[in-house]
Amino acid sequence: MSLERNAGTPLTTDWFDRVQINRPAAERRAASLLARRSVKKEHQAAWLVNAIRCMDLTTLAGDDTEDRVARLCAKARRPLADSIAEGLGLTEMPKTGAVCVYPTMVGAAKRALSNSGIPVASVATGFPAGLMPLDLRLAEIRYAVDQGADEIDIVITRAHVFQGEWNALYDEIAAMREACGEAHMKAILATGDLVTLTNVYHASMVAMQAGADFIKTSTGKEGVNATIPVSLTMVRALRDYGERTGVKIGFKPAGGMKTGKDAISWQVLMKEEMGQDWLQPDLFRFGASSMLADIERQLEHYLTGRYAASHRHAIA
């Protein structure tokens, strides 16, 4: 990432403590965003290629191995078949925004991505629940950074949000930010656990004040992961933070997004709410694994008029 880091601010609860989010209004706005903009043909293809550039290609499975990570990294380097890239007239093969793995797989990912310019992101802090003593969560961040992680995706203690313990939440995230050192920090709010959109807005604002460079919806392990109304709430929070501080904060939806249609929907949200800058990987990422396969199928359909069998595309 090339943007200046978010230095954070002192905890300032009057930026958010009176804010209440109306869920029906957020849902209506989300529905209208998707209904108003229809992207077809070459424009759809361009948006799908851009989605690849903004993708954190992810494997967070209990049976991950170094070989699986190496295969994922190979796909990150060359996410499209050569015939598709040539058919689209791309002057160079697009690369994914990052590869995201567990801390123990960071070293393997760094080796596989050497000289590619693709960052390695690592989840940490007791992912996905985050229910570990803080000193152990900080140690996990430092381990991932020592292994070479360029970005760290941390998880918050949800109980602090439920109980309105904003000082505790702020101090926890600020300590994590310090442990990240030069690595950019994405704060996962686990929005499916936070119950209300008001909680989502408040937690977003505290995370940014504590120094998060990105705010991220989900771990992908909750019952409900990224949704457009939740994403709209978080995007409005980072816009409000930017208006107060002049700092641009990134956004990462993750979990449950599987199709090219999903990729376009979230890009429409970012363009309508935040503008063109937030369609670049410095400020926008998808947390995804299976989405890439559908994007490749959609692009081949655009070129040939036929959907390829899934076995024709390399496994991510």
Side-chain angles (χ1 to χ4, degrees), residues 118-145:
I118 300 172
V120 174
S122 175
V123 297
T125 66
F127 178 93
L131 295 177
M132 290 168 52
L134 181 59
D135 60 338
L136 296 182
R137 286 181 282 164
L138 299 178
E140 188 177 27
I141 293 172
R142 296 185 188 104
Y143 171 83
V145 172

Side-chain angles (χ1 to χ4, degrees), residues 59 63-74 101 103-112 143 147:
T59 182
D63 58 353
D64 279 346
T65 64
E66 290 197 2
D67 286 344
R68 174 182 285 177
V69 169
R71 186 179 69 204
L72 189 78
C73 292
V101 295
T104 53
M105 294 293 152
V106 169
K110 290 293 286 188
R111 290 190 292 274
Y143 171 83
Q147 292 294 301

Side-chain angles (χ1 to χ4, degrees), residues 176-195:
M176 293 173 180
R177 168 69 165 79
E178 182 178 7
C180 286
E182 295 302 311
H184 282 68
M185 187 178 79
K186 307 188 198 91
I188 309 172
L189 305 185
T191 55
D193 292 343
L194 297 188
V195 183

Side-chain angles (χ1 to χ4, degrees), residues 124-314:
T125 66
F127 178 93
L131 295 177
M132 290 168 52
L134 181 59
D135 60 338
L136 296 182
R137 286 181 282 164
L138 299 178
E140 188 177 27
I141 293 172
R142 296 185 188 104
Y143 171 83
V145 172
D146 286 346
Q147 292 294 301
D150 305 289
E151 304 169 6
I152 302 292
D153 291 27
I154 63 98
V155 291
I156 67 167
T157 300
R158 286 66 136 178
H160 292 330
V161 180
F162 301 145
Q163 296 162 9
E165 296 173 341
W166 306 124
N167 282 287
L169 181 62
Y170 177 93
D171 290 346
E172 169 186 279
I173 297 173
M176 293 173 180
R177 168 69 165 79
E178 182 178 7
C180 286
E182 295 302 311
H184 282 68
M185 187 178 79
K186 307 188 198 91
I188 309 172
L189 305 185
T191 55
D193 292 343
L194 297 188
V195 183
T196 71
L197 294 182
T198 298
N199 282 344
V200 170
Y201 185 94
H202 292 179
S204 298
M205 193 62 74
V206 174
M208 291 183 287
Q209 290 182 355
D213 299 294
F214 266 66
I215 50 176
K216 175 179 171 181
T217 60
S218 316
T219 66
K221 311 295 185 182
E222 294 91 63
V224 177
N225 294 291
T227 68
I228 295 292
V230 159
S231 299
L232 174 64
T233 301
M234 295 174 68
V235 166
R236 292 283 179 89
L238 68 86
R239 188 171 71 188
D240 292 346
Y241 182 84
E243 288 175 352
R244 289 180 177 274
T245 65
V247 176
K248 292 181 176 179
I249 303 296
F251 176 64
K252 179 179 174 180
M257 297 177 296
K258 300 181 182 300
T259 67
K261 182 178 179 180
D262 292 331
I264 291 174
S265 294
W266 263 270
Q267 288 181 95
V268 167
L269 168 69
M270 301 311 293
K271 183 172 178 62
E272 292 288 331
E273 288 288 321
M274 299 302 299
Q276 199 73 21
D277 285 353
W278 271 264
L279 291 177
Q280 305 298 325
D282 279 354
L283 288 170
F284 181 63
R285 301 284 184 82
F286 296 101
S289 51
S290 58
M291 180 191 283
L292 179 55
D294 190 64
I295 288 175
E296 193 169 16
R297 289 182 72 243
Q298 297 300 330
L299 289 172
E300 185 159 12
H301 179 268
Y302 165 71
L303 291 172
T304 67
R306 301 183 302 275
Y307 282 111
S310 59
H311 67 263
R312 290 195 54 193
H313 297 298

